[in-house]
């Protein structure tokens, strides 16, 4: 981002002065609410109501126009109808305002006419260096300075409290909803941004901006689609390097949902499984529900990150402990047993208890709280857990007991420094607050707790990996000059130049040349027609396999050339490719596809007939290194097969990872001109013997 | 169950008179609480405190012993230490008491000594016709008669309210926990049973009993393992036929959880994927979390079952509507669009709204409630939905608006008769109660709602299918007399007699006979060694494939016989099997395995090298019919492959289903003597051409 532009984002999201265009005397209306909020919140910047028809608005002096203002405000809030918006934007540009928020709906989401008007407004703003948020949005807020550039009714219940949470939402309604739920949960929200139609500033740019602020630890984001993918990736990468957790809810997972996205904000949904994979690539947690999104934000905001993923479960009921052990395991947490000597110590304290993990202290622990404290002390000191959870059920709801129980738990040892202490309980809000005040995370449900803390542990791991030094990516290859489809020969050549390895195969113009090539390669060989115009070679009889000597190669080459000329008389025929027959190896497929919103992605998965049924493929945005390729491979069924099934030797995953990384650099270098790459099958040979792409198709945009 | 035994269960779960052995004057102790509860609850039966040391207990006359009681009570509650339990049970038997509940812990869960004592107690009870609940349990309750045979502290907050919910839990702590949560949610719980160590009455028998009561609509069950599988299956089958939803939480899903189950109540966990599959077979919903279990019970208790699974989503925010469309789709609900003419009508009412489904009425609907009512009226009358949900967010939390909004929603049309009306909202409990009072289900989270209603719709479908007439199963085949391992020939013979189809193959004693057999079958053929002692034929070179003429068959047969005799001189060799070579078909595997708790189950899945990686197999308890086999097949990846991949013809799923059903009857007939069956590979040919099991292994118990 240019510095000027990001300065203008400060004007949008943390302005020092604000003009409210369309200011209303009625504090309940869209033009009245922002003024009411800004005054009640104690915003220290200057606020200028603009209304040509009034001397004062809500008792404050009003100005007749933007042009008449005594200074150039950082930001203009445009609370005017859609039809009056363009004129207001022109006024802002004329005055030199840095940024404006358009509240009105009725633009791109309403069909062609609205789309055209929106485009005209953007053109005016761009020419004048004015950044725009919206239209069809609820605005933005920064609670630390009392800035509320919004008419959201959520503020009727009170303002946001500053804290480590930021919210960035395309949907204003969702942004308000999640902010209210987070506030009810006691979370401090500093930045709150809704982007609406995203005619200029989009979710990615807003995300990029909040991730660069001090004090933000977790971002709750809501997206229907991604507009600026480069900024989106940049934001996610920065978040990971800065150790800021992005918890993203993206709708349009289902077909009916994706269709509804299209008719809602005209955003393109892209392929959902691609989006999912790219979240994994960047260490983003894609929440499946609002409750999960909130739970994760709650955990990070209140307790920070754990050192690792070892979960110690303390329970007074066997059944509830086992349930959490199941849930923890499923959520990716390690339910590791207490060391043997510590178990002996626990056994001495409570002979009837199960001291392994889940640690079931039985109901006896409840009746002797000092003993419970000593017991948990041993668990905390010797269990080496990163997350300690006590399952309390409905016990804390008993007024006579609740505080003493909290005291007994707390006395066992402090949290912090990478140790998260949590409890599950069903109790009234004031009891929950009391446990939280002692530093415990409080959840009602075991699955909610383990899923949230599983996600938090993955963030910790991902941030640690991002801090590790990684060698820079090799330089991207030179972009291609060609257009259209390449022949197999040409496709393999350009991919080989980009760093992929291919078997020793030769192009031969005549049957005689083919026989000579086969002699040089060694038998058996395969002969394939080579033409940019024949993508489906077997359909024209253009492939003959398993040729054992020069005579057979000569005959087969003649046959293949004749068949191709007969089937496709107009095809440009480069000759025949002579290639060694490859026995063994695991068949996989690799390729590049162009996602509607995320651009070129490398695809990888299992080859063969089952691929269509299993749909077991994964994706990565380009370019990436071999380490990322290894993670990509490990996500798939193919990855498990490559480890060696039924006594088969492990396959050459290192060579495969290098090949996928090279393919990603090729795709990145040709971003914008590539239409697709298909390498099918790609044979992965036993470890140390490399990979052998048997076929390759490269499609370029016309 | 015998009538006498089930009469004794009435004595356990709904007794007319109760002796409390070990009755304590201290109403806070285990021996005091039941008396206190029974008196406060207004229990109308007679209660006899038994305590040899006191004249009165809690102001009520006490008896010195069971023997001294003036009548034979239905039930004895044994609130005595483990060491005194056997004597108390002997007293009960001597008096002729029908049933007793043992509260004490310290039996089978505490190692060998406790296990032995528990066995002695059971022997005494069995001999005397006394049914036992526990030990190590929290007892039972029937709120409709004020019966509380328990010392659970959950009753300190008040008694249960009668209603359509029953709770059956192995764990007393879990049973109390879920009862408290259900009570907090406003649910009426009539039957509440905890089974503890299950020395006699187990979860299955208790389940069977509650399912037979009038007025029960949904059972929340908790299990660590299954003891009596026949009763378990009988209970589940009865539940489905009676239309009672069983929502089961079974722990021990993970390895660490299964291990903890073993050390907790010494229950065997069985294989978790087998348990999962059998839940599907019987239409049981296996809940993944307590919250989910509660949500489903809540929906059924309050709103009953929907007609079908069509979900209509009404929202005032595009984003939240799309989110629920995604969630509904994932939960198996059909997010079907409004009919075109109805959409036109909605468009006329609110031009800016999206009338398809999710139906986004925009925030405008909020500002004109009579319009909202008319709008929703059109949705309810013309959308043909079975479940209607309005997404309300935090709006109902606004005191000034909440009641008017509820009124406007309610005025659009009533629920009932298969239509479920629900809302999502975040609001205080009193607001939730107000919406519930109008007949709306209220959820906070979109995923929680859709998962619960998806499960409820599946119950409705499963109950409808159970009501449909199905032909009775064919008679089971005659059980086998043999022991040990059968030869391939013998295995195929017994399976063929049980109704599975096999290719025309012949046993030949000599190479000459083999050649004659091949002539009769037609070429090409395969020749295989046939011996009950050689399970792995290829390892001894005992298979030669693709033989084209009599001479080749003669040579191969001689070779195979020589190799087998050389490799395993002591093996009993029946000769060689001559079988046709089968080209084409989809390779699957079928078999029978013996689950540690659920007994013989038929296994089915994809064959080939990937089966180990994918673990894509499913199971069914035996016996079952071809319809059930078809559902079984449809659950697997193999089922998708059998539909025809990449233009392949659909395979003969009907023949496969008949074969699996025959295998299930074979397994049922030999329950207790079968150790396993392995049919691998089983080739499923194109539709109409049947199935061809190429190999079969039948293992019998020694």
């Amino acid at each position: 981002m240019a510095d000027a532009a990001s300065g203008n984002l400060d004007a949008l999201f943390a302005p020092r002065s604000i003009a409210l265009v369309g200011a209303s005397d009625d504090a309940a209306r869209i033009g009245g609410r922002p003024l009411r909020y800004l005054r009640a919140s104690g915003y220290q910047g200057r606020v200028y109501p603009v209304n040509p028809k009034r001397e004062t608005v809500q008792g404050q002096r009003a100005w007749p126009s933007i042009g008449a203002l005594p200074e150039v405000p950082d930001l203009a809030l445009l609370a005017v109808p859609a039809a009056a918006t363009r004129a207001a934007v022109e006024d802002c540009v004329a005055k030199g305002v840095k940024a404006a928020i358009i509240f009105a709906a009725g633009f791109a989401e309403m069909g062609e006419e609205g789309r055209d008007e929106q485009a005209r407004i953007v053109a005016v703003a761009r020419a004048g260096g004015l950044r725009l948020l919206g239209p069809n949005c609820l605005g933005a807020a920064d609670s630390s300075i009392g800035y509320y550039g919004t008419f959201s009714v959520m503020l009727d219940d009170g303002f946001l409290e500053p804290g480590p949470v930021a919210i960035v939402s395309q949907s204003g309604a969702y942004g308000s909803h999640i902010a209210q739920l987070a506030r009810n949960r006691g979370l401090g929200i500093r930045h709150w941004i809704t982007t609406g139609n995203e005619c200029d500033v989009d979710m990615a740019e807003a995300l990029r901006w909040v991730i660069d602020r001090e004090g933000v630890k977790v971002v709750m984001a809501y997206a229907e689609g991604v507009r600026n993918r480069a900024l989106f990736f940049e934001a996610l990468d920065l978040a990971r390097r800065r150790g800021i957790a992005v918890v993203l809810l993206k709708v349009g997972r289902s077909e009916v949902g994706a269709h509804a996205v299209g008719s809602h904000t005209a955003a393109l949904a892209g392929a959902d499984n691609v989006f999912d994979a790219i979240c994994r690539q960047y260490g983003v947690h894609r929440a499946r529900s609002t409750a999960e999104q909130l739970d994760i934000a709650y955990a990070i905001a209140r307790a920070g990150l754990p050192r690792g993923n070892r979960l110690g479960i303390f329970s007074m009921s066997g059944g509830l402990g086992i349930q959490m052990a199941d849930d923890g395991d499923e959520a990716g947490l390690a339910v590791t047993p207490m060391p043997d000597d510590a178990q002996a110590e626990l056994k001495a304290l409570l002979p009837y208890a199960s001291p392994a993990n889940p640690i079931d202290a039985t109901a006896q622990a409840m009746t002797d709280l000092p003993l419970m404290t000593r017991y948990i002390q041993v668990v905390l000191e010797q269990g080496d857990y990163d997350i300690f959870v006590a399952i309390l059920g409905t016990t804390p709801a008993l007024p006579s007991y609740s505080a003493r129980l909290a005291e007994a738990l707390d006395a066992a040892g402090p949290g912090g420094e990478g140790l998260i202490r949590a409890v599950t309980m069903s109790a009234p809000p004031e009891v929950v607050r009391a446990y939280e005040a002692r530093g415990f995370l409080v959840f009602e449900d075991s699955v909610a707790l383990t899923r949230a803390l599983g996600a938090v542990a993955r963030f910790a791991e991902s941030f640690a990996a991002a801090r590790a030094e990684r060698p820079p990516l090799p330089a991207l290859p030179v972009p291609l000059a060609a257009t259209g489809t390449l022949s197999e020969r040409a496709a393999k050549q350009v991919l080989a130049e980009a760093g992929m390895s291919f078997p020793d195969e030769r192009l031969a113009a005549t049957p005689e040349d083919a026989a000579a090539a086969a002699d040089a390669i060694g038998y058996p060989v395969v002969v394939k027609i080579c033409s940019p115009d024949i993508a489906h070679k077997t359909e024209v009889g253009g492939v003959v396999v398993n040729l054992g000597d020069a005579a057979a190669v000569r005959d087969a080459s003649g046959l293949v050339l004749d068949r191709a000329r007969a089937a496709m008389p107009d095809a440009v025929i480069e000759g025949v490719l002579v290639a060694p027959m490859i026995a063994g190896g695991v068949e996989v497929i690799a390729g590049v596809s162009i996602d509607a919103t995320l651009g070129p992605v490398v695809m990888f998965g299992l080859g063969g007939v089952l691929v269509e049924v299993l749909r077991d493929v994964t994706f990565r945005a380009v370019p990436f290194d071999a380490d990322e390729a290894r993670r990509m491979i490990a996500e798939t069924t193919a990855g498990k097969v490559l480890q060696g099934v039924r006594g088969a030797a492990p396959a050459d995953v290192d060579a495969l990872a290098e090949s996928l990384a090279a393919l990603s650099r090729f795709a990145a270098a040709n971003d914008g001109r590539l239409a697709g790459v298909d390498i099918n099958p790609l044979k992965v040979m036993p470890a140390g013997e490399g990979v052998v792409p048997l076929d390759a198709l490269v499609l370029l945009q016309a």
Side-chain angles (χ1 to χ4, degrees), chain A:
Chain A
M1 293 304 304
D3 285 345
S6 99
N8 287 2
L9 290 188
D10 292 349
L12 265 183
F13 302 138
R16 287 160 306 176
S17 53
I18 303 171
L20 173 60
V21 182
S24 169
D25 203 47
D26 182 346
R29 301 192 58 170
I30 292 179
R33 284 177 178 272
L35 183 58
R36 169 157 65 96
Y37 295 148
L38 287 166
R39 293 170 64 172
S41 69
Y43 174 63
Q44 294 295 309
R46 291 165 304 284
V47 181
Y48 301 101
V50 174
N51 185 329
K53 297 184 188 151
R54 301 185 63 96
E55 294 277 302
T56 65
V57 170
Q58 296 179 41
Q60 191 173 332
R61 177 181 172 182
W63 270 262
S65 67
I66 291 262
L69 296 182
E71 67 166 317
V72 179
D74 270 1
L75 171 70
L77 302 174
L78 306 186
V80 296
T85 299
R86 179 143 51 103
V89 166
E90 284 165 351
D91 290 350
C92 288
V93 166
K95 183 78 174 179
V97 177
K98 289 177 186 158
I101 298 178
I102 305 174
F103 293 143
F107 291 95
E109 81 282 10
M110 286 303 295
E112 200 176 337
E113 211 172 306
R115 209 156 37 234
D116 290 348
E117 178 62 10
Q118 183 174 310
R120 281 188 289 268
I121 289 171
V122 171
V124 170
R126 288 256 156 86
L130 176 77
R131 299 305 308 268
L132 295 175
L133 188 67
N136 190 19
C137 79
L138 278 185
D142 178 342
S143 62
S144 70
I145 58 168
Y147 160 57
Y148 292 94
T150 176
F151 61 95
S152 171
V153 294
M154 70 172 175
L155 300 175
D156 288 353
D157 297 342
F159 293 106
L160 305 177
E161 291 291 326
V165 177
I167 292 174
V168 176
S169 175
Q170 272 181 269
S171 157
Y174 190 86
S176 298
H177 182 63
I178 190 90
Q180 279 172 294
L181 296 179
R183 192 173 53 183
N184 293 347
R185 196 83 173 259
L187 300 188
I189 302 159
R190 175 158 177 181
H191 300 289
W192 180 85
I193 300 171
T194 69
T195 55
N197 281 14
E198 306 190 333
C199 76
D200 175 23
V201 174
D202 70 347
M203 185 264 296
E205 195 167 4
L207 205 54
R208 173 76 180 68
W209 185 86
V210 299
I211 284 163
D212 224 5
R213 296 311 100 185
E214 282 308 315
V216 171
K217 283 161 66 180
V218 55
V219 184
M220 289 192 272
Y222 168 94
E224 298 180 0
V226 172
R227 280 183 167 80
N228 188 334
R229 60 179 157 99
L231 258 181
F232 183 58
F233 297 148
E234 187 186 317
L236 300 184
D237 191 52
L238 180 66
R240 189 168 45 177
R241 283 187 286 112
R242 296 204 60 198
I244 296 167
V246 177
V247 187
L248 175 63
L249 195 127
K250 179 180 175 293
V251 295
R253 297 198 307 270
S254 64
E255 209 172 299
V256 60
H259 183 79
V261 164
S263 67
H264 179 222
T265 46
L268 267 173
D272 198 68
N273 53 353
V274 171
F275 195 88
D276 239 28
I278 285 175
C279 285
R280 289 193 294 274
Q281 178 175 6
Y282 282 97
V284 168
H285 182 89
R286 186 169 178 196
R288 306 304 278 191
S289 71
T290 301
E292 182 184 306
Q293 189 178 33
L294 205 62
D295 283 341
I296 296 169
Y298 165 77
I300 295 174
R302 287 216 163 258
L305 298 173
R307 277 174 313 229
N309 73 340
R310 284 156 305 189
L311 171 68
I313 302 168
F314 175 83
S315 169
M316 283 155 289
S317 141
L320 294 171
I322 298 168
Q323 189 186 2
M324 188 173 285
D326 283 344
D327 298 337
D329 182 78
E330 190 165 302
L333 297 169
V335 187
T336 49
M338 289 291 293
D340 286 343
D341 48 348
Q343 287 200 33
E345 209 173 323
L346 292 175
K347 216 47 183 168
L349 284 173
L350 272 175
Y352 292 162
S354 298
N357 188 22
I359 299 148
D360 172 11
T362 74
Q364 207 188 328
M366 292 289 210
T367 61
D368 184 348
L369 290 176
L371 176 69
M372 179 195 277
T373 298
R374 284 206 305 286
Y375 202 84
I376 296 178
Q377 226 158 17
V378 175
V379 173
L380 291 179
E381 283 167 10
Q382 298 183 48
D384 201 23
Y385 296 118
D386 310 305
I387 301 165
F388 169 81
V389 182
I391 300 173
L392 305 181
T394 44
T395 311
L398 299 173
S400 62
Y401 194 71
S402 185
R404 284 187 293 139
L405 178 59
E407 168 71 38
L409 287 169
D410 202 5
E417 298 186 15
L419 171 67
I420 290 182
R421 296 181 310 162
V423 300
T424 53
M425 63 159 86
S426 300
E430 63 276 14
V431 175
V432 172
R433 296 288 165 266
Y435 278 72
E436 285 175 344
R438 289 184 181 271
F440 293 100
L441 296 179
V442 180
F443 288 83
E444 182 148 345
D445 190 74
S446 170
V447 170
L449 177 144
T450 48
R451 282 204 187 148
L453 294 182
V456 169
R458 277 190 297 282
F459 274 122
E461 190 187 355
S462 160
F463 296 159
R467 279 193 301 270
E469 282 291 323
R470 274 161 77 169
L473 284 181
L476 298 186
V478 180
L480 301 177
T483 58
T485 306
L486 304 184
S487 73
E488 181 181 343
R489 171 73 174 170
K492 286 177 170 173
Q493 212 151 30
V494 298
L495 292 171
E497 280 160 16
M500 292 191 75
S501 67
F502 285 89
D504 175 22
E505 53 184 36
R506 320 242 170 139
L507 181 66
T510 66
E512 274 313 319
D513 290 355
D519 281 343
I521 289 169
Y523 294 95
V525 298
V526 56
V527 161
K528 301 184 274 188
I529 192 71
C530 189
S531 161
D533 301 320
I534 305 178
H536 301 287
K537 293 181 278 286
T538 50
E539 287 177 13
V540 300
V543 181
V544 184
V545 301
N546 218 5
L547 302 166
D549 56 37
V553 169
R554 212 175 290 116
D555 291 351
S557 300
L559 189 67
V560 157
L561 287 165
D562 288 349
R563 281 177 182 161
R565 285 189 194 110
M568 300 188 68
D570 298 332
V572 174
I573 291 176
E574 297 180 358
V576 295
L577 269 183
V578 184
M581 287 292 293
I582 308 294
V586 176
E587 275 196 18
V588 298
I589 54 176
V592 176
S593 61
I594 314 300
D595 186 76
T597 64
L598 300 176
V601 292
V602 164
M603 183 272 284
F604 168 74
L606 203 61
V609 75
L610 279 179
V611 65
E612 282 172 31
V613 173
L614 295 176
R615 293 172 188 230
D616 179 60
V617 291
T618 191
F619 303 88
R620 284 297 183 274
V622 302
F624 53 81
D625 64 14
D627 275 354
E628 190 62 45
R630 260 182 285 270
R631 277 190 284 278
M632 181 186 187
I633 295 164
E635 281 173 13
T636 61
T637 302
K640 297 193 189 81
V641 174
L642 291 169
Q643 288 170 12
V645 180
R646 287 200 188 164
D652 201 337
V653 171
D654 287 337
L656 175 62
E658 292 294 347
S659 248
L660 292 173
L663 182 59
S664 82
R665 294 193 300 271
F666 174 77
N670 292 287
D671 186 358
R673 52 167 40 98
L674 202 60
V677 176
D678 193 16
I679 299 170
N680 182 11
L682 174 68
K683 282 203 164 191
V684 189
M685 308 308 288
E689 298 177 29
V691 296
V692 187
L694 295 189
D695 199 352
L697 184 68
V698 171
L699 296 170
L700 296 170
Q701 291 179 8

